[in-house]
Amino acid sequence: MSRSQSRLAASVPGRLRIRQGAVDPAQLRHWQAELATWPEVQSTRLNPEARSLIVQYHVAQCEQAEMESRVLTLCNGPQDMQAHASRPSEAVTTQAPRPAKRAHRAAWRRRANRGAKIAAMVALPVSIALVYAGNKRLHAATGWLFVAALSVHLAIHRRNVFH
């Protein structure tokens, strides 16, 4: 396994997650044992399915940037520190920029899905209430509105629903 395949996946003061690119649980266990010897580390938790190691540490004993740099040095060696030296917490929490078209599409899907969920949550109880009121025409219309909203939601999440 190449040491450069490991990275900080998330970092907040007092907690960070190390994610390993290749499947090598032995390497994660080695890091877990090494980190457990550090006095500022409260606990470590290994998640082999996600190929990650969660480290909780005392912020009063070690600042977030210092802990990130020490963990990166442990996992990747000192050669990768120059890439993360300027602002390590920003490098961890920001995502790689996506192409503008893809980001626009994702934002549009979120808005469409939110509208579909709201329409479905409103249309179904209104449709049921209209049954009791005896208004068949509006009951059918709001029922079709619910089916349309549900269809939009399922179309947006088709990969997860039919997985």
Side-chain angles (χ1 to χ4, degrees):
M1 187 208 100
S2 172
R3 292 175 65 105
S4 64
Q5 291 179 338
S6 302
R7 64 182 175 87
L8 284 174
S11 179
V12 294
R15 183 177 184 277
L16 56 89
R17 178 187 301 269
I18 306 163
R19 179 140 311 136
Q20 184 181 24
V23 179
D24 190 2
Q27 185 66 47
L28 287 172
R29 284 191 296 278
H30 170 73
W31 292 338
Q32 184 179 25
E34 177 70 27
L35 287 166
T37 63
W38 294 5
E40 57 276 347
V41 173
Q42 285 178 307
S43 66
T44 59
R45 183 168 49 102
L46 185 63
N47 186 348
E49 292 82 23
R51 299 181 315 270
S52 68
L53 177 65
I54 298 167
V55 180
Q56 291 186 325
Y57 59 95
H58 298 285
V59 180
Q61 294 178 354
C62 187
E63 294 292 324
Q64 179 180 2
E66 180 185 351
M67 181 58 80
E68 288 174 356
S69 68
R70 289 180 65 194
V71 168
L72 283 172
T73 301
L74 172 69
C75 299
N76 298 327
Q79 72 275 7
D80 288 341
M81 285 309 300
Q82 287 77 28
H84 300 287
S86 62
R87 303 193 113 187
S89 59
E90 284 183 14
V92 170
T93 57
T94 58
Q95 295 178 349
R98 298 192 304 187
K101 186 176 181 180
R102 189 171 166 197
H104 176 70
R105 186 180 312 141
W108 181 87
R109 293 180 116 190
R110 279 192 305 272
R111 284 192 307 269
N113 189 46
R114 179 174 292 150
K117 286 191 292 187
I118 291 170
M121 289 188 321
V122 169
L124 187 60
V126 169
S127 180
I128 292 170
L130 288 170
V131 167
Y132 290 113
N135 194 335
K136 290 183 182 180
R137 184 169 281 160
L138 283 178
H139 163 69
T142 55
W144 280 111
L145 177 64
F146 172 77
V147 169
L150 180 63
S151 299
V152 169
H153 177 74
L154 289 176
I156 289 173
H157 292 291
R158 67 188 174 276
R159 289 186 207 114
N160 297 334
V161 173
F162 301 114
H163 186 70

